[in-house]
Amino acid sequence: MHDYDLLVVGSANADLVIGVERRPGAGETVLGSDLAVHPGGKGANQAVAAARLGARTALLARVGDDDHGRLLLDSLRTAGADTSGVLTGGAPTGVALITVDPSGDNSIVVSPGANARLTPQDVRAAAPLLAAARVVSLQLEIPLETVAEVVRAAAAGAEGRPGPRVVLNPSPAAPLPDEVLAVCDPLVVNEHEARFLLDGDPAGGSAEPAEWAAALLARGPRSVVVTLGEQGALVVEGGRTVLVPSLPVKAVDTTGAGDAFTGALAWRLGVGDGLEAAVRFAVRVGAAAVTRAGAQQSFPTAEDVARL
C-alpha cells in the first residue's frame, strides 16, 4: 500500500513581483508598483496543483527559516499537501525577482537560496517518502546531482518492490545524463526544452513536434510528452503518437500552467491512469489554470476542471 499518489521533489520559491511601465536599462532606475509576494517554485507549484485536485501529495524540498519559507509552507498545507518532507534551514528561501511591463513581458532573476542546498543526502534520508509514493515528479530548479540521486533510488526500489514511476520536466533546460533519461516515464518538455535537448540533432531544427518527440524518445526515456500550449500536448509511447487537443478558453495568465499540467499528469499516473488518459486530464487542468491570474492561486480544483 502506498501512502502517496505523488511525491514531488523540487524547488520552492517566493515570487517577488513588481509592475513597471518599462524595464530599466543598464544603470537606470525606474519606479514600479507595490511589491506583490506569491508562493511559487516549480516543485511547490506541482505539489499544490496536484493537492488541490485531491491527490495524496507530498513535497521534498528545502526552504529557509524565514517569512518566505512560512508563506510556502502555509500555501502547501492549505492546498492539502503533506509538508513533512520540506526541510528548513541552510540558507534563505529561494526567491524570484520579477518585473512585468504592461504588455505582460517579464524579466526574472532567481536566487536559488535553500533550493541549491537540497542534497543527495537529503534524498537518502527521505527514503521512506520515496518508498511510500507511486510516482515521483522532478524538475531542474534543484541541483542535478540531487535529481540523479532520486532517479537512482527510484530505479533501485526498496523492500523488494519497484520504486516509484519517474516524471521529469527538465526546466530550466539543462543537459541530462543518460541514467536520468532512461528512467523518465514520461519526459515532459515544451518546445524550448525539446529544442535545447536536441541541440545538434537534425530533429531539433524541425517545425514538427512529432519529430522532436521521436528524436527525444530515441535518447532513452520510456515515454515523451510535448506540451504545445493552446494546441494541447503530444504523447509518444510504445510506438504510438497521439495529439491530445486543448480546450478553447480565454487565457488570462499562463504563469504556472505548465506546472499545473505536470502535477495533474503525475497524479493521474499515480492513481493508475494510462499515459494518454492522464494527459487528457492534465490538458484540461492546464486550460483551467490559464483562465485566472497568478500561479498557485490559479490552480483549479477537480470541480473547476469538471465545469470546463
Side-chain angles (χ1 to χ4, degrees):
M1 177 66 180
H2 292 86
D3 296 325
Y4 303 106
D5 306 318
L6 173 63
L7 170 65
V8 182
V9 183
S11 59
N13 288 332
D15 292 343
L16 279 55
V17 184
I18 299 177
V20 293
E21 286 301 313
R22 58 183 178 80
R23 285 171 286 167
E28 182 183 13
T29 298
V30 300
L31 296 178
S33 68
D34 290 343
L35 175 69
V37 182
H38 303 293
K42 289 186 174 296
N45 284 352
Q46 288 186 13
V48 167
R52 283 179 61 84
L53 292 165
R56 298 178 302 161
T57 308
L59 175 66
L60 174 58
R62 185 174 285 277
V63 299
D65 183 11
D66 50 34
D67 288 343
H68 290 153
R70 287 182 280 278
L71 169 73
L72 285 154
L73 287 167
D74 286 347
S75 180
L76 288 157
R77 289 167 180 155
T78 299
D82 186 327
T83 60
S84 60
V86 180
L87 308 171
T88 302
T93 301
V95 296
L97 308 174
I98 307 170
T99 59
V100 185
D101 69 19
S103 73
D105 286 339
N106 58 36
S107 295
I108 305 175
V109 177
V110 175
S111 171
N115 295 310
R117 276 75 168 183
L118 188 67
T119 66
Q121 176 56 39
D122 293 331
V123 174
R124 291 189 286 271
L129 270 181
L130 279 164
R134 292 183 182 275
V135 173
V136 61
S137 184
L138 296 156
Q139 327 80 40
L140 300 184
E141 289 185 334
I142 57 175
L144 186 55
E145 63 182 2
T146 304
V147 171
E149 184 64 27
V150 175
V151 165
R152 283 191 288 269
E159 299 175 355
R161 65 182 184 185
R165 183 171 182 167
V166 174
V167 176
L168 171 64
N169 171 219
S171 179
L176 294 174
D178 290 344
E179 68 166 329
V180 171
L181 279 170
V183 181
C184 296
D185 191 16
L187 176 71
V188 181
V189 294
N190 62 18
E191 176 179 353
H192 168 74
E193 293 147 6
R195 291 187 186 278
F196 179 91
L197 293 174
L198 292 171
D199 184 41
D201 187 307
S206 170
E208 295 298 325
E211 292 188 31
W212 310 336
L216 287 169
L217 194 66
R219 299 282 181 91
R222 299 174 186 178
S223 58
V224 173
V225 173
V226 181
T227 59
L228 302 170
E230 63 184 14
Q231 297 176 49
L234 195 71
V235 183
V236 181
E237 178 187 38
R240 294 180 66 244
T241 299
V242 179
L243 176 63
V244 177
S246 185
L247 299 178
V249 296
K250 179 176 176 56
V252 173
D253 184 355
T254 61
T255 304
D259 299 328
F261 173 94
T262 305
L265 165 62
W267 168 49
R268 294 311 304 175
L269 293 174
V271 296
D273 282 1
L275 182 58
E276 182 182 337
V279 170
R280 290 190 182 279
F281 179 79
V283 161
R284 296 174 64 86
V285 172
V290 305
T291 63
R292 301 173 182 170
Q296 292 184 17
Q297 63 267 39
S298 76
F299 294 161
T301 63
E303 291 77 16
D304 295 329
V305 177
R307 282 195 293 267
L308 279 182

